[in-house]
Amino acid sequence: MTTNLVWLRSDLRVSDNMALYAACRDEQAQVMVLFMATPEQWRQHEMAPRQAQFIYDNLRLLQADLAGRGIPLYTLTCDDFAASVEQLRQFCQQQHVDRVFYNYQYEINERQRDAAAEKSLSEQGIVCQGFDDSVLLPPGSVLTGNREMYKVFTPFSRAFVKRLQQGLPECVPAPRARQNAPRIQQPELTPFGYPLAPYDDALFPPGEAAAIARLRAFCQQPVTAYHQDRDFPAKQGTSLLSAYLATGILSPRQCLHRLLREHPNGLEDERCFVWLNELIWREFYRHVLVAWPHLCKSHPFISWTNHVVWRSDPQQLLAWQQGKTGYPIVDAAMRQLNTLGWMHNRLRMITASFLVKDLLIDWREGERYFMSQLIDGDLAANNGGWQWAASSGMDAAPYFRIFNPTTQGERFDKQGEFIRYWLPELRHVPDAEIHQPHDWAKKNQQKLDYPLPIVDHKQARNRTLGAFDAARKETGNSNA
């Protein structure tokens, strides 16, 4: 009997899982599933402990689901990717595996691991097959007329939609219960050897069923208001699907097909397309990592920004991390991140701009801190977002476009509803004064248990413009 192994990574689901589907097509084959935790690798990449807990909880539910289909799920723990290749080889040898199926990951370390694994396994006579599962369209399939990867998002999005209009990527069904599989007792899930931290399981309930239910509910109606509500953090205007996409509990194809089932004109309907375009941003950053793998190594895309002289100020960095900068919208956002492991997308841009453009602290400090907190941490999206804010990446905001944190708060949380929720010390400040509470306190002779602004925005803006101007002039503004 042939034995097929599915090597799970960021694809913790049974529905629309290309590797799992392919492994189960031969109904006579024995199928087993393996997940390998790599705690040392996770530490190097600053994985949030709450994300590790979320992965563990989802693996537990996935194991139960697979058991009902006659498929055992094993877990192994090995320090890093190099060790995982050897452990995989040994596991395949012990279990007499004939074929290994897996879904691609696009980060450089992961691609090197997969190449080493395929080489090692092929030497043992084991056939490996990989799939572009975590994307709608494979990297390298959406190119300019010169057959190059796009460097700007908008034309990439247009070309991407054109490809979708020519033919949608298909979803594959979940495998049926194995006819020839005996009743199995699932192996015990081994501990990860990595710190775990609780998360809000009401906000992010684990499990594929919960993820699909949330997707369906969002696509039925809220998606049509997404374009109006998405920038206002006090509203429930976003899908809250990012954690499920980051860990592969949902696939982007499931998102696309559910959207189009509820809204058949979703590729053209602006109300729905705004959300779909966010999925295309996710694709863009994955395609970018394959085209320019050095971005995985904390290098900027725009090379002259390497010459920006960043400030080292541990106290101000800590104030930013703890939500104690004296700018209410920034502090409320950072406290949301620290408490929930999630932050509203508009606030991710505001807080990133503040760290880089107001404090002139290296964007990589922020990138690492976000990854250490986010339940939806994803290297491609996180790196892309931070480089956008730092004016160092693909289709980045021009370096001279600097968010004013006060006016951003006034625009997107006018009455201060979001701010008061996360900064209860400002609950008595009137709506009109909530974004500059110390001015109100001074006028009304009130004492506030809230820090003074750690930087003057106007002065900070001028300092940042000077630092970027100097770096640009030093290198002749080369984008190579």
Side-chain angles (χ1 to χ4, degrees):
M1 178 184 292
T2 300
T3 299
N4 292 342
L5 175 68
V6 180
W7 179 14
L8 287 183
R9 294 87 82 84
S10 298
D11 47 3
L12 308 182
R13 64 185 185 278
V14 298
S15 299
D16 195 34
N17 185 319
M18 290 187 175
L20 181 62
Y21 174 75
C24 293
R25 275 186 297 189
D26 181 354
E27 295 188 358
Q28 302 305 312
Q30 179 184 2
V31 177
M32 56 183 62
V33 172
L34 174 66
F35 178 88
M36 289 192 286
T38 52
E40 184 55 39
Q41 202 80 28
W42 292 351
R43 286 188 187 92
Q44 292 175 20
H45 290 86
E46 309 281 352
M47 179 192 278
R50 53 170 61 94
Q51 187 179 59
Q53 181 70 65
F54 189 62
I55 290 170
Y56 186 87
D57 292 347
N58 279 282
L59 276 171
R60 182 170 46 81
L61 294 171
L62 177 60
Q63 188 182 57
D65 192 341
L66 289 169
R69 302 168 196 269
I71 301 172
L73 187 156
Y74 297 84
T75 55
L76 295 174
T77 297
C78 37
D79 276 346
D80 55 22
F81 285 166
S84 72
V85 171
E86 176 59 21
Q87 286 247 28
L88 176 63
R89 187 193 65 78
Q90 292 179 13
F91 182 88
C92 289
Q93 194 173 47
Q94 293 162 4
Q95 299 293 335
H96 307 291
V97 170
D98 298 291
R99 294 180 292 187
V100 172
F101 300 81
Y102 68 95
N103 294 316
Y104 296 131
Q105 293 179 297
Y106 301 112
E107 299 85 352
I108 188 170
N109 290 337
E110 283 78 353
R111 292 170 68 195
Q112 291 171 345
R113 172 206 59 195
D114 291 350
E118 287 216 12
K119 182 176 184 296
S120 175
L121 294 174
S122 65
E123 290 171 353
Q124 306 298 314
I126 298 170
V127 176
C128 298
Q129 188 171 0
F131 302 86
D132 287 296
D133 177 80
S134 68
V135 289
L136 291 169
L137 298 174
S141 66
V142 182
L143 301 174
T144 69
N146 293 328
R147 307 298 297 167
E148 297 175 344
M149 175 58 197
Y150 286 91
K151 298 179 181 179
V152 178
F153 174 73
T154 299
F156 173 85
S157 177
R158 291 196 196 102
F160 198 96
V161 170
K162 191 173 182 180
R163 283 286 309 275
L164 294 181
Q165 290 168 336
Q166 293 168 355
L168 298 178
E170 294 184 3
C171 288
V172 297
R176 296 176 296 181
R178 309 295 291 170
Q179 295 294 326
N180 59 339
R183 185 178 179 85
I184 64 170
Q185 182 174 356
Q186 286 282 22
E188 182 179 355
L189 286 185
T190 58
F192 285 167
Y194 192 79
L196 303 179
Y199 59 91
D200 186 340
D201 59 7
L203 188 64
F204 295 108
E208 191 172 343
I212 291 172
R214 175 167 291 179
L215 172 63
R216 287 176 174 171
F218 178 73
C219 287
Q220 282 170 1
Q221 189 57 42
V223 71
T224 60
Y226 178 79
H227 67 297
Q228 296 174 329
D229 296 344
R230 65 178 183 140
D231 282 324
F232 300 93
K235 294 184 177 183
Q236 293 292 333
T238 63
S239 69
L240 288 175
L241 293 171
S242 55
Y244 302 104
L245 285 164
T247 50
I249 298 153
L250 276 179
S251 79
R253 292 176 301 281
Q254 289 173 297
C255 294
L256 174 64
H257 281 277
R258 175 52 55 177
L259 175 68
L260 296 180
R261 177 174 294 187
E262 300 292 342
H263 306 278
N265 295 322
L267 292 178
E268 293 83 25
D269 185 340
E270 182 182 348
R271 298 173 307 160
C272 300
F273 181 74
V274 173
W275 182 67
L276 175 59
N277 215 33
E278 292 301 311
L279 291 178
I280 299 175
W281 267 108
R282 179 179 179 275
E283 299 274 319
F284 180 63
Y285 286 139
R286 274 166 168 67
H287 289 220
V288 161
L289 286 191
V290 175
W292 292 282
H294 69 282
L295 297 177
C296 297
K297 300 290 189 180
S298 295
H299 296 299
F301 178 72
I302 300 175
S303 59
W304 67 262
T305 62
N306 252 332
H307 296 269
V308 174
V309 179
W310 303 107
R311 296 175 59 247
S312 176
D313 193 323
Q315 286 188 324
Q316 289 196 345
L317 175 61
L318 184 63
W320 176 82
Q321 292 171 341
Q322 294 180 342
K324 297 180 179 179
T325 68
Y327 284 88
I329 194 66
V330 173
D331 294 339
M334 295 303 295
R335 294 189 201 182
Q336 180 186 52
L337 172 66
N338 293 334
T339 302
L340 300 180
W342 179 84
M343 187 192 288
H344 186 279
N345 187 56
R346 167 59 58 174
L347 301 180
R348 297 189 196 208
M349 292 189 283
I350 294 171
T351 55
S353 176
F354 186 85
L355 181 73
V356 176
K357 302 290 179 67
D358 281 80
L359 301 185
L360 198 56
I361 290 175
D362 194 329
W363 57 270
R364 284 159 280 227
E365 295 280 4
E367 181 191 18
R368 284 191 290 269
Y369 186 72
F370 267 37
M371 285 300 289
S372 76
Q373 299 298 316
L374 287 170
I375 193 170
D376 63 357
D378 173 276
L379 187 148
N382 190 52
N383 178 270
W386 273 95
Q387 292 223 43
W388 183 91
S391 305
S392 65
M394 310 297 276
D395 202 12
Y399 74 93
F400 49 81
R401 186 178 298 161
I402 298 176
F403 283 172
N404 181 318
T406 301
T407 57
Q408 286 286 308
E410 292 169 347
R411 182 176 177 186
F412 297 112
D413 190 33
K414 188 173 183 180
Q415 278 76 43
E417 183 179 351
F418 177 82
I419 288 170
R420 287 192 186 84
Y421 182 86
W422 292 104
L423 306 180
E425 60 267 41
L426 300 183
R427 61 187 177 275
H428 300 305
V429 180
D431 291 357
E433 311 283 353
I434 190 71
H435 301 286
Q436 299 186 72
H438 288 290
D439 290 352
W440 170 81
K442 185 176 180 180
K443 284 186 293 185
N444 293 275
Q445 298 182 332
Q446 299 286 324
K447 290 193 68 175
L448 285 179
D449 183 22
Y450 180 66
L452 289 165
I454 62 174
V455 67
D456 177 272
H457 172 70
K458 185 176 180 180
Q459 294 176 0
R461 183 179 186 278
N462 290 335
R463 176 179 63 191
T464 295
L465 290 176
F468 274 76
D469 274 337
R472 181 174 56 85
K473 291 172 182 175
E474 180 181 342
T475 57
N477 195 13
S478 170
N479 289 332

